[in-house]
Amino acid sequence: MLTLLNLKIKMDPATFFPILGTIFSVCLSFSPTVPFIQVFQHKEKIDILPEGMLLCQLMNRLLWCSVWILTKRLIPFINAIVGIFITSVFLILYLYLYYNRIFLKAFTKSFFLICFECLIVGGAVLYKNVQVVSVSAMIFNVAMYIAPGQKIIRVIKEKNYKLIPIRSTIVSILCSGSWLMYGITINLVAQIVPNALGLFFSILNTLAWIYFYINRDKGKEDEEAQNIPNSSMQQPSSQDVNPVTPQNNPQYNNPAQPMIQPVPQYKYNPQTGHFDEIPVGSPEYVDQTQSAAGQMPIQNPQIPQ
């Protein structure tokens, strides 16, 4: 038996499951790494960063840290401390990016964030009511799993398995399962309820990913079929085509035949030595629509040599 800070460790299920849960929790805490790298490299905007989720995680871990201090449980306390540190680093980086990479503003806001963390933990420990603090931690823990519940609805609507980060989801199953078994072992309802909910949503997301991944080719075929227009829209029938019959053309007297565009005709002007265009409808203009009845159209006169 090892004693550290009056917290006892014994190799039993109450020790094995929190060790396992701590390993998976630390791995899950680094899930925002990729979005932060993309924003730092100017590949994505700051809007993709999960600042709301990070704040919720911070509150959850601060309250659980207070619970483990009051109940004198070392391994969960270490897990909470490591989680608080990683989440705080991500939030400080978010503040740095939010204030246009101005270090002074980010440092000032980060200082208030650290003071807020100390105030939450200190107040909860001084309150000395484990039940109230654990229920408060459970509320924030449940709020953390609302996002996976909303994501599954979006995945079903869009039928896109890529919306589910499958690696993080599998780690979340292992993490929630470990802490659920730990909550059952120590008979702590505030630990059982949120982790059972997280395990349920993680398994549901995994099943949705498997289903839409298997049927991904079918989804592409349906999308292509929706994008192909109907052939009847591309090739209208002759009954739908209305012939052009302008009313302002005095040379066009047969509405049963489609209109033939008038061909420009010219008349030689001996005074200027140039060809002047003959206006359509004048007595000198030759009706070209006779070519529709099988007659040859009249050619323009040749330029005299």
Side-chain angles (χ1 to χ4, degrees):
M1 182 176 63
L2 174 66
T3 304
L4 179 63
L5 298 177
N6 295 325
L7 303 175
K8 297 181 180 181
I9 299 178
K10 292 186 292 184
M11 293 306 296
D12 53 14
T15 303
F16 173 74
F17 287 118
I19 291 176
L20 202 62
T22 299
I23 295 172
F24 295 130
S25 295
V26 172
C27 294
L28 202 60
S29 298
F30 286 100
S31 57
T33 302
V34 175
F36 271 92
I37 292 175
Q38 292 176 344
V39 174
F40 266 98
Q41 294 178 349
H42 301 282
K43 294 181 179 180
E44 295 288 346
K45 295 182 179 180
I46 194 174
D47 298 337
I48 69 169
L49 299 180
E51 73 281 1
M53 179 63 69
L54 290 173
L55 285 172
C56 192
Q57 288 179 358
L58 181 63
M59 284 298 301
N60 170 56
R61 285 165 175 167
L62 287 170
L63 291 171
W64 277 118
C65 180
S66 304
V67 173
W68 303 134
I69 290 175
L70 293 172
T71 56
K72 298 182 180 181
R73 298 184 183 274
L74 178 60
I75 300 177
F77 170 76
I78 294 175
N79 171 68
I81 290 295
V82 173
I84 290 171
F85 175 76
I86 296 174
T87 307
S88 299
V89 170
F90 279 121
L91 282 172
I92 291 171
L93 291 176
Y94 173 80
L95 291 172
Y96 175 72
L97 294 170
Y98 181 81
Y99 289 104
N100 298 321
R101 305 173 189 255
I102 300 176
F103 177 77
L104 183 60
K105 287 186 177 180
F107 177 79
T108 304
K109 301 297 181 182
S110 301
F111 175 76
F112 285 111
L113 177 65
I114 295 172
C115 293
F116 172 75
E117 295 174 3
C118 296
L119 182 63
I120 292 294
V121 175
V125 172
L126 293 175
Y127 187 66
K128 294 183 180 181
N129 192 327
V130 179
Q131 186 175 2
V132 173
V133 178
S134 60
V135 170
S136 302
M138 181 186 68
I139 293 173
F140 283 99
N141 209 345
V142 170
M144 288 172 53
Y145 295 113
I146 292 178
Q150 294 176 341
K151 183 178 292 184
I152 189 64
I153 299 175
R154 182 184 173 189
V155 170
I156 293 174
K157 287 182 178 180
E158 299 184 11
K159 298 180 180 179
N160 186 4
Y161 70 95
K162 295 182 180 180
L163 295 174
I164 300 176
I166 188 61
R167 295 185 182 87
S168 300
T169 304
I170 293 175
V171 175
S172 180
I173 291 175
L174 299 173
C175 179
S176 298
S178 300
W179 289 112
L180 174 62
M181 295 303 299
Y182 178 65
I184 295 173
T185 302
I186 63 175
N187 194 23
L188 183 60
V189 178
Q191 185 78 3
I192 295 173
V193 173
N195 287 290
L197 187 64
L199 183 63
F200 170 75
F201 281 122
S202 298
I203 293 175
L204 195 63
N205 281 334
T206 304
L207 294 176
W209 187 91
I210 294 173
Y211 174 78
F212 289 113
Y213 180 80
I214 294 174
N215 296 277
R216 63 188 185 279
D217 295 332
K218 182 179 178 181
K220 291 181 180 178
E221 292 176 359
D222 295 340
E223 184 177 355
E224 291 176 358
Q226 292 177 359
N227 293 331
I228 296 176
N230 193 346
S231 59
S232 61
M233 297 177 62
Q234 288 184 336
Q235 300 178 356
S237 61
S238 59
Q239 296 178 356
D240 298 331
V241 178
N242 296 323
V244 180
T245 57
Q247 303 296 328
N248 58 354
N249 188 356
Q251 299 296 323
Y252 186 73
N253 299 320
N254 189 359
Q257 296 179 355
M259 173 185 166
I260 298 177
Q261 296 294 333
V263 179
Q265 298 179 13
Y266 302 90
K267 179 182 178 181
Y268 180 72
N269 190 344
Q271 297 179 356
T272 61
H274 300 287
F275 283 87
D276 299 333
E277 184 176 357
I278 302 174
V280 178
S282 65
E284 297 179 351
Y285 186 85
V286 182
D287 187 4
Q288 296 288 327
T289 59
Q290 294 178 357
S291 61
Q295 300 179 7
M296 294 296 295
I298 299 175
Q299 302 293 333
N300 288 327
Q302 298 293 329
I303 301 176
Q305 300 295 333

